[in-house]
Amino acid sequence: GLSGSLKLARNCPLQSATRCQSTSGQSTLSQEKKDFIASGPGLEDFIREHAYPAQPEHLRRKKGERQRLRLPPWLHVDIPVGDNYAGVKRSLRKLKLNTVCEEARCPNIGECWGGGKEGTATATIMLLGDTCTRGCRFCSVKTARAPPPPDPNEPQNTAEAITQWGV
């Protein structure tokens, strides 16, 4: 059941405020609010044809087709390059630090480490090694109930990285 004093009528589409009723059967919205909602933008105002480039004819392989399908254009990311990206990567390797970005195989790593539009590079350092003890199913970070022992130099290396990056 629904909690609170607002119930939805049986055929209440969420976008139609005129069919939603309170428990007493009367609408809780004033006529002015109903008119405002009815004259507001629709879904088509938020979806633009130019927002997504032309789609390939099909996004799945047909039976017997061997050619590899390409990713749709909205899933393409640039290969990470640049001075900021290289500097962060070099620093992490030198200090033997792990990041969520790398361990989770984040496709946006180039944007974060490269600094994006503002030029400020970011990286999320994993403390206590490269292994997580949680095991969330949506995440690709390596997991273990009993992770390997932490690097005794990790606190010093983390502090050094923070100092180098000017955080």
Side-chain angles (χ1 to χ4, degrees):
L2 294 171
S3 61
S5 63
L6 185 66
K7 282 187 181 174
L8 299 177
R10 271 194 178 156
N11 59 351
C12 179
L14 294 178
Q15 68 270 25
S16 175
T18 57
R19 291 188 187 166
C20 294
Q21 300 173 344
S22 69
T23 53
S24 65
Q26 298 296 317
S27 173
T28 57
L29 296 174
S30 68
Q31 187 60 42
E32 182 182 0
K33 283 279 189 190
K34 291 178 190 175
D35 294 340
F36 177 75
I37 292 170
S39 66
L43 181 61
E44 64 278 354
D45 294 319
F46 296 96
I47 300 175
R48 308 260 186 258
E49 284 188 32
H50 67 278
Y52 298 105
Q55 305 302 312
E57 204 171 292
H58 61 281
L59 295 176
R60 299 179 82 177
R61 276 194 261 187
K62 295 181 179 168
K63 190 172 183 176
E65 190 176 5
R66 294 186 150 258
Q67 183 180 2
R68 180 174 174 253
L69 291 175
R70 306 305 300 170
L71 289 174
W74 63 87
L75 287 178
H76 284 251
V77 291
D78 295 330
I79 295 172
V81 293
D83 293 339
N84 282 347
Y85 176 83
V88 169
K89 189 169 186 167
R90 193 172 32 254
S91 175
L92 290 168
R93 294 293 171 274
K94 178 183 165 205
L95 298 170
K96 298 178 185 157
L97 294 173
N98 304 289
T99 65
V100 173
C101 320
E102 287 181 303
E103 300 304 322
R105 298 183 194 110
C106 179
N108 301 319
I109 194 168
E111 188 175 325
C112 294
W113 287 16
K117 295 174 186 170
E118 291 82 30
T120 304
T122 60
T124 304
I125 296 172
M126 284 184 73
L127 301 177
L128 300 175
D130 65 348
T131 307
C132 179
T133 57
R134 294 190 67 191
C136 304
R137 292 182 182 202
F138 60 86
C139 185
S140 61
V141 172
K142 181 172 47 175
T143 62
R145 286 183 184 225
D151 176 8
N153 298 322
E154 186 180 57
Q156 179 65 34
N157 291 344
T158 302
E160 192 174 325
I162 292 170
T163 304
Q164 284 178 8
W165 298 342
V167 177

